Amino acid sequence: GQSLEQPSEVTAVEGAIVQINCTYQTSGFYGLSWYQQHDGGAPTFLSYNALDGLEETGRFSSFLSRSDSYGYLLLQELQMKDSASYFCAVKARMDSSYKLIFGSGTRLLVRP
Amino acid sequence: KAGVTQTPRYLIKTRGQQVTLSCSPISGHRSVSWYQQTPGQGLQFLFEYFSETQRNKGNFPGRFSGRQFSNSRSEMNVSTLELGDSALYLCASSGGGSGSTDTQYFGPGTRLTVL
């Protein structure tokens, strides 16, 4: 079967660094995406990793280790507006098509 | 470029009724995917349409169905509503080059409440 694990909640202080982990079990793995969703809002794309290593986009970085079936999202210089839910999503090839499977999300609370 | 739009934004129905939700993708996007979001369950994939054909399907009962029109607009239908169908239904569009797993651009969702 397919499964993704990520912490349900993380709390951090403004200005700090926080890491949100995601472990997955899936066949036909292709890549790992991250999405951000504010309360009442739509999920928005943050990053995608197909290869091992770190991808950096401003204050956000995403890491993937295919051999460990593990990835993380790193948020630096946390701001209050970063308080949101963060979802990892696995791109996997199943049958003759690709699917995007989302984790249940990590709620990040940034405190002043 | 206008984003993904969904109508209606809120809907209240009673058990046994049916409902149709609508999604207009970003102009030029040919792939439309539908997700159900409930607290603590993340986003559950319902199905994906590309060029008017269902290309992918999640593990939902046959009460959930959809279609896509020639202008890429999509509708989702749920028949014989159950209380457990109360959720936020999200539509996402993408270019469709490699299926629903291109970057997904989500609409604001339709909040369905079943009484």
Side-chain angles (χ1 to χ4, degrees), chain A residues 11-28:
Chain A
T11 302
V13 177
E14 195 175 14
I17 299 173
V18 73
Q19 179 174 311
I20 299 174
N21 298 322
C22 176
T23 57
Y24 57 87
Q25 282 188 320
T26 185
S27 55

Side-chain angles (χ1 to χ4, degrees), chain B:
Chain B
K1 218 179 212 185
V4 178
T5 58
Q6 292 187 245
T7 55
R9 292 294 312 277
Y10 302 91
L11 208 47
I12 299 176
K13 292 285 188 179
T14 55
R15 278 184 303 172
Q17 287 188 308
Q18 75 161 18
V19 67
T20 299
L21 313 181
S22 181
C23 171
S24 292
I26 290 172
S27 177
H29 282 188
R30 296 166 65 190
S31 170
V32 174
S33 297
W34 288 89
Y35 298 85
Q36 181 194 67
Q37 185 174 29
T38 52
Q41 291 295 315
L43 284 78
Q44 303 290 317
F45 173 74
L46 281 152
F47 29 64
E48 183 218 357
Y49 285 87
F50 180 81
S51 293
E52 302 178 64
T53 301
Q54 188 180 86
R55 186 159 68 172
N56 238 320
K57 191 176 185 307
N59 298 321
F60 278 79
R63 300 186 297 108
F64 292 81
S65 63
R67 59 177 175 168
Q68 187 180 34
F69 302 94
S70 57
N71 61 357
S72 292
R73 190 178 71 83
S74 177
E75 286 182 349
M76 189 192 104
N77 185 276
V78 188
S79 62
T80 320
L81 283 166
E82 300 177 359
L83 295 179
D85 297 333
S86 293
L88 180 68
Y89 290 88
L90 291 159
C91 159
S93 75
S94 68
S98 60
S100 63
T101 53
D102 285 341
T103 298
Q104 299 276 285
Y105 296 88
F106 284 86
T110 295
R111 173 75 61 187
L112 172 65
T113 302
V114 182
L115 303 176

Side-chain angles (χ1 to χ4, degrees), chain A:
Chain A
Q2 320 287 334
S3 68
L4 288 90
E5 296 277 341
Q6 52 180 132
S8 58
E9 231 176 72
V10 172
T11 302
V13 177
E14 195 175 14
I17 299 173
V18 73
Q19 179 174 311
I20 299 174
N21 298 322
C22 176
T23 57
Y24 57 87
Q25 282 188 320
T26 185
S27 55
F29 177 85
Y30 244 70
L32 186 70
S33 298
W34 289 92
Y35 285 79
Q36 177 193 60
Q37 185 180 29
H38 287 98
D39 283 349
T44 55
F45 173 80
L46 291 176
S47 69
Y48 175 71
N49 294 66
L51 303 175
D52 285 357
L54 194 68
E55 295 277 345
E56 298 180 63
T57 310
R59 295 187 297 112
F60 293 6
S61 303
S62 57
F63 172 83
L64 175 66
S65 168
R66 296 173 70 111
S67 59
D68 295 323
S69 299
Y70 163 76
Y72 65 72
L73 180 69
L74 191 73
L75 296 84
Q76 303 182 73
E77 300 171 20
L78 279 172
Q79 301 176 9
M80 299 298 290
K81 67 178 182 179
D82 297 330
S83 292
S85 291
Y86 293 84
F87 295 88
C88 59
V90 161
K91 172 181 177 178
R93 185 171 178 88
M94 297 177 195
D95 301 321
S96 58
S97 63
Y98 296 94
K99 281 189 177 178
L100 196 61
I101 304 155
F102 282 82
S104 53
T106 297
R107 192 169 181 84
L108 171 64
L109 175 63
V110 180
R111 290 182 173 168

